[in-house]
Amino acid sequence: MSRFNDEKFKQLQLKVKFNAIPKTRLKKFNQHFNGYKNGLVRSEPGKFVMTPLYGSHAEKLYRMKPRSTTWTSELLWLVMNNCDTEKAVATPLFARTPFIDVPFLNADTELSPESRQMLNSFDKMPSPRIFKTHLPFYLLHPELLDTSKVLYVARNPKDAIVSFYHHHKLIKAHDYKGDLEEFAQYFMDDEIVYSPFFPHLLDAWSKRNHPNLHFMFFEDMKKDLRGEIVKVAAFLNQTPSDEQLDKITEHLRFDNFEKNESVNNEIGKKLGWMNPDGKFIRKGKTGDWKNHFSPELNNRIDEWIEKNLAGSDLKFVTELEHQD
């Protein structure tokens, strides 16, 4: 990856414009999302919703040239680092697998010196680097799939809504104050960051046969965690021993994972970027949506899902009888 000011990549232009979403600047919206002081913006084309800060700096990540490496988080890091669970526990996840969207997830109008330093630090990381992002493919470097290994993780939309609702209430950069039903409507109306949900998924689904893309479902990890670890290791051309596989599986089991201070971000409450109530690593249960949706809301979400998946062979599992 070259530095963001590298002359070689200054000519690479992102042919996307971001425009303000008028509704997100209204009083009612700002009362629901205290963190979105300057509203949100939407890309044309693509209709991707993000903060104005990201919209004005989107080319910085688009120009970030990938090396021959992998993107995502804890599972990948363990597989690629000889199952070093001791180091994984001792070193924060964000330091091992940076979330490259973070500098843009606030209401600032300009990048802070700390954010600029963070962006430039990505270039200094030794290979193989592991990054995490929620951005769609068309906002990432066009050579990404031809250069790097990409693990794309999808989750069923019902549990995704519940998870993102709790995340928005927890993180002060969002600071959501409304109820779940109102949030679900914002989600379906593509009026929160990282929406729209289905175009993002369907684009990745259409690329699932690319040799450098491994498309996996969160629900498959809940159903057979060890089996999915084996598949990811094979995708990365790694051959962990049975003992290492057992070690990774135990490390990633949810009851252990939520207690791991290197990933649960409890320090965020002390640093002031998380609200005191709630957890960053919450339940991770497939089917938890049943504890949150009214019959009427569930029917509306079913209709929304059916409409957006019309003509697609993408299917979701929304309930599991047994899960890890």
Side-chain angles (χ1 to χ4, degrees), residues 155-160 217-224 284-293 298 302 305 315-324:
R155 191 175 189 181
N156 82 76
K158 292 186 177 183
D159 284 321
F217 291 96
F218 180 90
E219 292 76 22
D220 288 337
M221 294 179 68
K222 294 297 297 180
K223 185 167 55 177
D224 181 12
K285 291 290 186 183
T286 295
D288 186 46
W289 59 268
K290 292 184 293 183
N291 299 316
H292 294 79
F293 294 170
N298 189 49
D302 281 339
I305 294 172
K315 305 293 182 185
F316 291 103
V317 171
T318 59
E319 299 180 55
L320 288 173
E321 186 174 350
H322 303 288
Q323 51 190 298
D324 286 336

Side-chain angles (χ1 to χ4, degrees), residues 16-22 24-25 29 36 38-44 46-58 104 139 190-196:
V16 171
K17 294 187 180 298
F18 286 85
N19 303 308
I21 305 173
T24 65
R25 297 192 175 188
F29 186 88
Y36 298 159
N38 295 306
L40 298 172
V41 295
R42 178 177 284 126
S43 72
E44 293 295 342
K47 301 190 181 302
F48 183 70
V49 177
M50 206 25 168
T51 62
L53 182 62
Y54 171 78
S56 60
H57 293 87
F104 309 100
L139 293 177
D190 304 333
E191 292 172 343
I192 57 173
V193 292
Y194 295 121
S195 57

Side-chain angles (χ1 to χ4, degrees), residues 86-229:
E86 288 75 18
K87 185 175 181 180
V89 170
T91 310
L93 180 62
F94 64 79
R96 293 178 282 119
T97 63
F99 183 18
I100 64 173
D101 311 4
V102 162
F104 309 100
L105 290 175
N106 58 68
D108 295 344
T109 56
E110 294 293 336
L111 284 170
S112 67
E114 294 79 11
S115 292
R116 291 183 182 278
Q117 183 179 9
M118 182 188 300
L119 289 168
N120 283 326
S121 72
F122 298 157
D123 186 44
K124 300 176 182 178
M125 293 178 64
S127 294
R129 301 172 305 178
I130 303 173
F131 292 138
K132 171 184 174 180
T133 183
H134 292 325
L135 298 175
F137 279 106
Y138 68 88
L139 293 177
L140 297 168
H141 197 286
E143 295 179 3
L144 175 63
L145 266 183
D146 293 328
T147 307
S148 306
K149 294 267 188 186
V150 178
L151 176 60
Y152 188 101
V153 183
R155 191 175 189 181
N156 82 76
K158 292 186 177 183
D159 284 321
I161 289 173
V162 173
S163 177
F164 214 27
Y165 162 73
H166 285 286
H167 181 81
H168 268 68
K169 291 181 73 67
L170 179 66
I171 305 300
K172 288 186 177 180
H174 309 305
D175 208 16
Y176 180 69
K177 300 299 184 182
D179 61 29
L180 174 62
E181 184 149 346
E182 290 169 319
F183 183 86
Q185 196 59 53
Y186 283 125
F187 194 103
M188 290 187 285
D189 288 342
D190 304 333
E191 292 172 343
I192 57 173
V193 292
Y194 295 121
S195 57
F197 182 79
F198 284 105
H200 196 312
L201 278 171
L202 291 170
D203 181 38
W205 184 247
S206 72
K207 295 175 171 62
R208 67 190 182 279
N209 294 322
H210 191 290
N212 279 344
L213 176 64
H214 181 65
F215 191 108
M216 64 188 297
F217 291 96
F218 180 90
E219 292 76 22
D220 288 337
M221 294 179 68
K222 294 297 297 180
K223 185 167 55 177
D224 181 12
L225 179 58
R226 194 179 194 277
E228 292 303 305
I229 294 170

